[in-house]
Amino acid sequence: MKKTDVMGVAFDDMTMEEAVSRALTLAKEGAGAYAVTPNPELVLMAQKDPAYAGTLAGAALTLPDGIGIIYAAKLLKRPLTGRVPGIDFAGKLMEKLAEKGLKLYLLGAKPGVAETAAENLRAKYPGLTICGVHDGYFTEDGPVIRDIRKAEADVVFVCLGAPKQEEWMRRNGAATGAHLLVGLGGSLDVFAGTVQRAPAWMQKAGLEWLYRLAKQPSRIGRMAKLPGFLVKAVFWKDKGGDEA
Ligand code: UDP
């Protein structure tokens, strides 16, 4: 599988279709495999924290979620095929899960959100089996792991925000008995309708971040890191070089 290094994180260079097809194979054959969708903020986090870098490196699938990753890859002169936004990837994967009769578990967000998301997703993807849900504000992992195991989930959407969700998947993925876990940040809020996505034209123009900023100005601190990230890309010297 071809990997492209973007400032220390090895991304899978794939089209959306390829990513979904690979995820479907993992959903059938994986054993606690996990997928991550890093944006620039997470790449910066991985640069500072080797343990977190290790967690990202342990993913079976690493998809470039943010437009910032695409720009950085271009600046590094190793362009990626394109963005694979986590939420769109999740939608396409759910179509396939419904088709193949595979079971999905939703983990994360505030109490009640995953239930509403489940209702909406069942309506949107006829035939989709959502075998269980759990909110993301728990103190003990054990009961959550047991619930996923009991539900015999093939796939778990883990929506606890970064870096919590990636660490959770690495630590507990295998114990859940699920084949594949996917870290999807705030996606359950979008599926539940509590948070809106940017209009299609803004998504296409790579301006989704601007929309999110307008809706949640408190994100400014997080987003202010993007220009610095791109400047860093211009001056980036590979430490280990490309991974094949
Ligand atoms: N969240 C959670 N448990 C926590 C912290 C956060 O379930 O302990 C949820 C939060 O409710 C939200 C999501 O994780 O639904 C994180 O959303 P955010 O928009 O910050 O994630 P992003 O998509 O930017 O990674």
Side-chain angles (χ1 to χ4, degrees):
M1 204 88 29
K2 187 177 171 257
K3 296 266 189 189
T4 297
D5 185 283
V6 178
M7 297 157 79
V9 174
F11 284 87
D12 287 288
D13 187 12
M14 297 177 161
T15 63
M16 174 67 86
E17 287 65 35
E18 287 165 341
V20 172
S21 152
R22 173 88 187 114
L24 192 62
T25 304
L26 291 168
K28 292 184 204 150
E29 298 168 7
Y34 58 93
V36 296
T37 60
N39 57 21
E41 202 186 350
L42 301 206
V43 172
L44 291 172
M45 222 183 265
Q47 287 171 7
K48 286 209 187 97
D49 178 354
Y52 186 57
T55 297
L56 293 184
L61 203 50
T62 305
L63 304 170
D65 182 81
I67 192 75
I69 301 293
I70 302 301
Y71 287 152
K74 260 192 208 152
L75 291 168
L76 291 163
K77 307 222 163 29
R78 55 183 83 134
L80 288 159
T81 306
R83 271 184 86 193
V84 183
I87 194 154
D88 297 332
F89 166 74
K92 300 238 184 286
L93 182 57
M94 283 189 281
E95 278 173 20
K96 296 286 179 200
L97 297 182
E99 211 177 285
K100 306 285 177 199
L102 296 173
K103 293 195 260 178
L104 175 66
Y105 189 104
L106 306 178
L107 172 62
K110 300 215 171 95
V113 173
E115 281 85 350
T116 310
E119 264 171 49
N120 293 349
L121 294 172
R122 282 190 191 106
K124 187 161 178 196
Y125 304 100
L128 178 66
T129 306
I130 296 181
C131 60
V133 300
H134 199 291
D135 68 75
Y137 294 84
F138 50 89
T139 45
E140 275 181 74
D141 292 338
V144 179
I145 294 168
R146 281 193 290 280
D147 197 53
I148 298 174
R149 191 169 261 287
K150 214 173 88 206
E152 297 183 335
D154 295 295
V155 177
V156 186
F157 286 173
V158 184
C159 304
L160 305 173
K164 198 169 175 180
Q165 62 196 15
E166 288 80 17
E167 302 292 8
W168 200 91
M169 295 191 291
R170 178 189 55 77
R171 218 175 40 242
N172 303 316
T176 64
H179 297 291
L180 173 69
L181 300 95
V182 187
L184 288 168
S187 299
L188 291 182
D189 296 304
V190 176
F191 295 145
T194 44
V195 170
Q196 262 80 46
R197 268 196 96 184
W201 71 266
M202 280 187 106
Q203 291 179 31
K204 278 203 196 100
L207 291 174
E208 195 154 14
W209 59 273
L210 183 60
Y211 182 87
R212 294 187 83 180
L213 182 60
K215 287 274 173 182
Q216 292 170 269
S218 58
R219 299 180 81 95
I220 187 77
R222 293 171 60 174
M223 287 186 183
K225 293 179 191 146
L226 185 61
F229 174 77
L230 294 177
V231 171
K232 206 166 177 181
V234 173
F235 296 104
W236 185 260
K237 296 266 182 299
D238 279 323
K239 293 175 182 97
D242 265 352
E243 286 187 37

